Amino acid sequence: MAELQFREAIRAAIDEEMAQDEDIFVMGEEVAEYDGAYKVTEGLLDKYGSKRMIDTPISELGFAGIGVGAAMNGLRPIVEFMTFNFAVLAADQIINHASKVKYMTGGQVNVPIVFRGPNASAGQLSATHSVSYDAMYAHFPGLKVIYTSEPADAKGLLKSAIRDDNPVLFMESEQMYGLKGEVPEEDDFTIPIGKAKVKREGGDVTVVAHGKMYHVATQAAQKLAKDGGVEVEIIDPRTVKPLDIETIVKSIKKTNRCVIVDEAHPFGGLAAEVGYLIQREAFDYLDAPVQRVTLPDTNAPFAKNLFDEWLPSPDQVIDAINTVTYRK
Amino acid sequence: MADKKKETEEVTFTPTGTGIRTNGEIIRSTELPEPTDKKHDELGLSDDDVIDMYDQMYLQRRFEERAMQMYQKGKFGGFLHLYMGQEAISTGTAYALNDDDDIITAYRDHGWGLVRGVSPKEGMAELYGKETGCSNGKGGSMHFANIEEHFWGGYGIVGGHIPLGGGIAFANKYKQNGRVTACFLGDGAVPQGALHETMNMSQNWGLPCIYAVENNGYAMGTAVHRHSTGEIVDRADGFDMKKMVMNGMDVFTVYEKMKEIATDIRENSQPWFVEIRTYRYRGHSMSDPMKYRTKEELEEYEKLDPVERMKNYLLDEDIIDEDKVEEIKSSVEDTVMEAIEFAEESDYPEKEALYDHMFAEDDYPFHT
Ligand SMILES: Cc1ncc(C[n+]2csc(CCOP(=O)(O)OP(=O)(O)O)c2C)c(N)n1
């Protein structure tokens, strides 16, 4: 095992894949000469040159589409968005083109492309820079969506995403880039897309949390274990789509209770979907209605106190756990 | 079948190279045009006007210098994009336009707010995220706004506000109210599709709007020649739009040209595309190591400082003396320090304010 920062794990995945496949290139704003807005791609220009590390203008729609076209024509682009908040401008290329070309042409062409970058909020950046987009893209058939929480998952899943012959959205977080974690050093370490992971075992309640919210859930679980004797089982879906509902259901059959933590708005998000699936697959096993902790149904405010109120917190998770365990 | 190209040449895509000059030579879209040689009275400005302009420029500068210090002390968070170096553009434009002409810009917006009626107190309080801020603490640095005084705000999605500028102009033409809209954008927004779509409709529909690029040489760490091809101002040609390049380090130039353009628009209801060349003294935001430009380049532009230039004009023309300069500076300093005190003493918004300003009605049933 090696201890890597999140950004180093992502860089290692890109680097290893680029080293073994000439058709892989990286494209995005400030990825090359600036070494990446968040230093994820640092050093890769020196190693791979300006043919394979491409700085783009601020033209999200255009460069996402150039990526899709290049993927159709035999290359394997990794397109970086400075955040997925700016990928909204590229949504036409992702939703109308990347996800549909293969289907529309009766399977004549694959679109092996990775769109990656930070998702959701990163502190007080106000309304246009703080939205979580994983569930929105997961809504559309033809796209795979990954939003990881720890360096090892990031490395293993990004390598799989780059090798995947389909369009994959791979999401990170500005606030997690410096986070350190153990990453297996084995040659060619990969994690299959579509597999959740039980990250903490416990018998009292299942908490489903991914991305940045995994860490919020972990804090809540640690606090509860210390003060209240409630043992939380945490499941990190890692891949939003395809979603590994079996692992979640298996856990609920043991704990009979579930809280979903999601850094998205409540309407139609991952929490809504997982909640539905649980009632369909595990209705008879539930001892309490499934609860969720999400953002409120409002835009992101700038003011520090409002922002802290807006973002899901460990205390809110504890409240929800107390509700499903009837401890309050 | 055509022959295949040989695979021997090295393939490149994005142009490379640091700075806006290579071997001393200016690359593209960065050569400063000559400033106007007219004196203030020839431009129809009184002594009081120009003193006021200096006061305003110095306020923008000092407000940001102090804001930067407060940010570094950890008094507030979020992004802080400083406008320092570009104050001649906000000031020259605001004086050239009528008070009910409309202005909209991107996120580098402090100077624009201050010149359009956001008080230093409301501005500083917004940076601190206090309820007394110009946007009630909801927006922060990127979203100063004073819509009552026709400043429609700063916007954080690069290029996103350009069609809004077109729409404001559309409404003005629709209502036949004679107002001109000035929509400012960075050079980095020039490659966004939104600009080109909006320019096409604006020309075809005769919208009374100035699309003004504040070309400060860089979009974050990318020099203008690395992100845009040709001369920026020539974008206008494809739409048959009137165009102009001007010196943005000299407030009189901006004043003179913007006035001419606004007059033309009022007469003819046709848009203009304007490139105003300037320079940003600070990093893109507070976390920018600035490796993409040289110290020498920065120093060269610091010699052209628009605020100093204005001060020297006032002194050289004997409009004011050194004592008066000091008086203005210390009064501005007091204003800024009071603004900081005001911001620090103001309250954060109430918790319930999270749900304010989402919808027109105040009993909207929020989803839970
Ligand atoms: C659509 C979009 N893409 C990327 C960004 C990130 N970003 C913010 S400012 C900026 C550079 C813009 O440069 P320019 O337009 O020249 O304005 P300046 O900073 O020089 O005032 C970038 C890439 C963004 N805010 N929105």
Side-chain angles (χ1 to χ4, degrees):
Chain A
M1 291 280 205
E3 185 165 81
L4 294 186
Q5 281 186 355
F6 211 108
R7 62 161 65 78
E8 292 167 340
I10 295 167
R11 187 188 309 142
I14 296 171
D15 190 359
E16 287 173 19
E17 294 306 299
M18 284 181 85
Q20 63 187 26
D21 185 346
E22 280 276 331
D23 290 335
I24 298 171
F25 69 98
V26 174
M27 176 166 62
E29 291 157 20
E30 310 289 354
V31 297
E33 292 198 7
Y34 198 78
D35 274 335
Y38 301 102
K39 304 290 166 257
V40 170
T41 50
E42 190 166 23
L44 297 181
L45 173 65
D46 290 343
K47 193 157 173 189
Y48 294 106
S50 61
K51 176 183 172 191
R52 298 179 68 192
M53 290 300 300
I54 298 172
D55 279 323
T56 64
I58 310 172
S59 301
E60 285 83 3
L61 176 66
F63 69 73
I66 286 175
V68 175
M72 289 164 65
N73 197 17
L75 299 182
R76 304 186 77 87
I78 301 172
V79 172
E80 174 176 310
F81 294 115
M82 208 174 276
T83 105
F84 270 95
N85 288 279
F86 310 150
V88 179
L89 281 78
D92 170 62
Q93 287 301 331
I94 301 170
I95 294 169
N96 273 331
H97 297 89
S99 79
K100 296 181 170 58
V101 172
K102 183 181 175 75
Y103 193 78
M104 291 188 298
T105 59
Q108 294 182 59
V109 66
N110 280 337
V111 185
I113 187 168
V114 174
F115 298 102
R116 54 156 287 273
N119 183 40
S121 74
Q124 294 172 266
L125 303 183
S126 97
T128 58
H129 286 52
S130 308
V131 180
S132 187
Y133 286 98
D134 48 301
M136 181 190 93
Y137 287 110
H139 177 76
F140 297 97
L143 300 173
K144 298 184 184 181
V145 182
I146 297 165
Y147 182 18
T148 57
S149 63
E150 294 185 294
D153 297 333
K155 183 172 180 196
L157 276 159
L158 182 53
K159 281 171 68 88
S160 297
I162 296 168
R163 292 178 194 185
D164 202 282
D165 283 332
N166 306 285
V168 181
L169 291 105
F170 186 91
M171 302 188 175
E172 304 149 20
S173 160
E174 280 121 292
Q175 288 173 314
M176 292 195 297
Y177 281 138
L179 186 97
K180 287 186 176 162
E182 296 292 331
V183 179
E185 274 178 296
E186 73 200 55
D187 239 16
D188 219 21
F189 159 69
T190 60
I191 295 172
I193 294 173
K195 289 276 170 268
K197 186 172 181 190
V198 181
K199 290 203 167 166
R200 183 182 200 282
E201 290 191 25
D204 298 326
V205 55
T206 301
V207 172
V208 179
H210 71 318
K212 211 155 74 220
M213 290 301 111
Y214 164 71
H215 301 283
V216 172
T218 302
Q219 284 173 40
Q222 284 164 352
K223 212 165 157 199
L224 279 172
K226 226 167 68 196
D227 323 334
V230 173
E231 280 308 329
V232 176
E233 178 142 304
I234 302 183
I235 299 186
D236 180 351
R238 305 189 292 192
T239 303
V240 172
K241 202 173 180 195
L243 181 71
D244 178 3
I245 191 67
E246 285 83 25
T247 301
I248 297 170
V249 166
K250 196 167 150 216
S251 170
I252 290 170
K253 287 184 177 169
K254 178 173 78 173
T255 64
N256 311 111
R257 297 155 207 279
C258 184
V259 170
I260 306 154
V261 192
D262 186 13
E263 192 188 349
H265 301 292
F267 198 102
L270 179 70
E273 185 61 27
V274 172
Y276 163 76
L277 289 171
I278 291 171
Q279 68 79 34
R280 190 180 74 187
E281 306 293 328
F283 186 76
D284 289 338
Y285 293 88
L286 288 174
D287 285 347
V290 174
Q291 294 291 319
R292 66 181 174 189
V293 178
T294 65
L295 296 176
D297 189 20
T298 76
N299 292 323
F302 170 73
K304 173 90 171 71
N305 68 321
L306 294 185
F307 180 79
D308 291 346
E309 183 72 21
W310 180 81
L311 193 69
S313 66
D315 283 344
Q316 280 172 282
V317 178
I318 290 171
D319 279 352
I321 291 171
N322 286 339
T323 303
V324 296
T325 53
Y326 300 106
R327 284 156 35 98
K328 68 162 196 194
Chain B
M1 279 243 268
D3 285 342
K4 278 191 186 164
K5 195 160 186 275
K6 284 206 200 78
E7 286 175 19
T8 47
E9 292 159 39
E10 203 173 321
V11 173
T12 62
F13 295 100
T14 313
T16 56
T18 307
I20 57 178
R21 282 150 195 256
T22 309
N23 304 326
E25 218 176 291
I26 291 172
I27 303 182
R28 268 199 304 268
S29 278
T30 47
E31 185 150 27
L32 270 183
E34 283 299 310
T36 181
D37 51 15
K38 295 212 180 86
K39 304 251 152 130
H40 69 287
D41 41 5
E42 295 170 82
L43 293 168
L45 292 164
S46 70
D47 285 4
D48 282 349
D49 287 338
V50 286
I51 296 169
D52 203 43
M53 283 166 107
Y54 171 65
D55 194 312
Q56 177 54 240
M57 287 170 81
Y58 187 69
L59 171 66
Q60 291 174 42
R61 177 65 56 88
R62 201 65 196 140
F63 178 93
E64 287 199 322
E65 284 170 349
R66 287 291 185 198
M68 183 175 78
Q69 288 172 350
M70 295 304 121
Y71 186 89
Q72 283 161 342
K73 281 191 191 168
K75 299 275 190 177
F76 57 89
F79 284 141
L80 187 69
H81 306 97
L82 301 172
Y83 192 62
M84 287 184 220
Q86 305 181 207
E87 295 94 337
I89 302 176
S90 54
T91 310
T93 301
Y95 279 82
L97 298 182
N98 296 339
D99 287 349
D100 67 347
D101 284 335
D102 297 286
I103 294 176
I104 186 166
T105 190
Y107 51 86
R108 202 176 292 285
D109 59 358
H110 309 146
W112 289 105
L114 291 172
V115 83
R116 261 303 170 91
V118 170
S119 71
K121 284 182 177 165
E122 293 165 317
M124 198 62 79
E126 191 58 38
L127 295 181
Y128 275 72
K130 298 296 179 76
E131 66 173 357
T132 50
C134 58
S135 301
N136 297 98
K138 284 277 174 60
S141 161
M142 298 196 288
H143 306 298
F144 276 25
N146 182 6
I147 291 175
E148 206 173 25
E149 297 194 30
H150 304 271
F151 172 52
W152 295 86
Y155 292 83
I157 297 296
V158 170
H161 70 289
I162 301 169
L164 305 186
I168 290 163
F170 179 96
N172 287 338
K173 177 169 175 169
Y174 194 100
K175 295 183 193 165
Q176 295 180 279
N177 60 17
R179 274 154 52 189
V180 168
T181 303
C183 175
F184 287 85
L185 51 134
D187 51 278
V190 171
Q192 283 290 32
L195 175 69
H196 304 267
E197 298 180 24
T198 306
M199 284 174 75
N200 181 51
M201 284 181 273
S202 299
Q203 182 68 23
N204 224 7
W205 299 356
L207 300 186
C209 192
I210 309 169
Y211 297 98
V213 181
E214 287 186 74
N215 177 1
N216 59 18
Y218 297 91
M220 248 179 106
T222 306
V224 64
H225 69 94
R226 300 191 60 236
H227 71 60
S228 284
T229 175
E231 294 286 332
I232 284 180
V233 71
D234 293 341
R235 301 291 182 280
D237 298 346
F239 304 100
D240 218 7
M241 195 180 284
K242 291 180 185 169
K243 66 177 183 182
M244 189 186 291
V245 190
M246 68 178 83
N247 181 313
M249 304 304 275
D250 176 55
V251 68
F252 291 158
T253 306
V254 177
Y255 173 82
E256 179 187 29
K257 308 285 183 211
M258 287 305 243
K259 207 165 177 89
E260 282 170 23
I261 290 169
T263 304
D264 181 73
I265 291 178
R266 264 185 256 283
E267 275 167 22
N268 301 309
S269 192
Q270 280 295 328
W272 276 73
F273 186 65
V274 177
E275 182 187 341
I276 310 179
R277 293 191 185 155
T278 179
Y279 202 76
R280 125 166 100 61
Y281 288 165
R282 297 284 160 172
H284 166 70
S285 64
M286 297 300 287
S287 60
D288 176 358
M290 294 200 276
K291 282 194 228 149
Y292 48 84
R293 66 182 182 191
T294 61
K295 243 188 24 226
E296 291 72 35
E297 183 185 286
L298 175 60
E299 282 165 9
E300 202 182 308
Y301 279 89
E302 277 172 343
K303 285 186 207 134
L304 305 174
D305 184 358
V307 184
E308 280 295 297
R309 184 183 171 90
M310 185 63 168
K311 185 188 81 183
N312 293 334
Y313 179 87
L314 292 172
L315 292 172
D316 293 348
E317 298 292 314
D318 284 328
I319 300 170
I320 55 175
D321 59 15
E322 290 280 3
D323 287 350
K324 178 71 184 168
V325 170
E326 285 315 309
E327 199 183 297
I328 292 173
K329 283 190 173 177
S330 90
S331 135
V332 165
E333 178 71 6
D334 289 348
T335 306
V336 172
M337 294 315 286
E338 277 164 30
I340 289 172
E341 213 179 291
F342 174 81
E344 294 195 349
E345 283 169 6
S346 292
D347 291 328
Y348 283 108
E350 299 283 337
K351 239 164 94 171
E352 296 70 44
L354 191 52
Y355 293 89
D356 290 346
H357 315 126
M358 281 297 303
F359 287 96
E361 60 270 35
D362 51 21
D363 60 349
Y364 175 82
F366 287 97
H367 194 73
T368 57

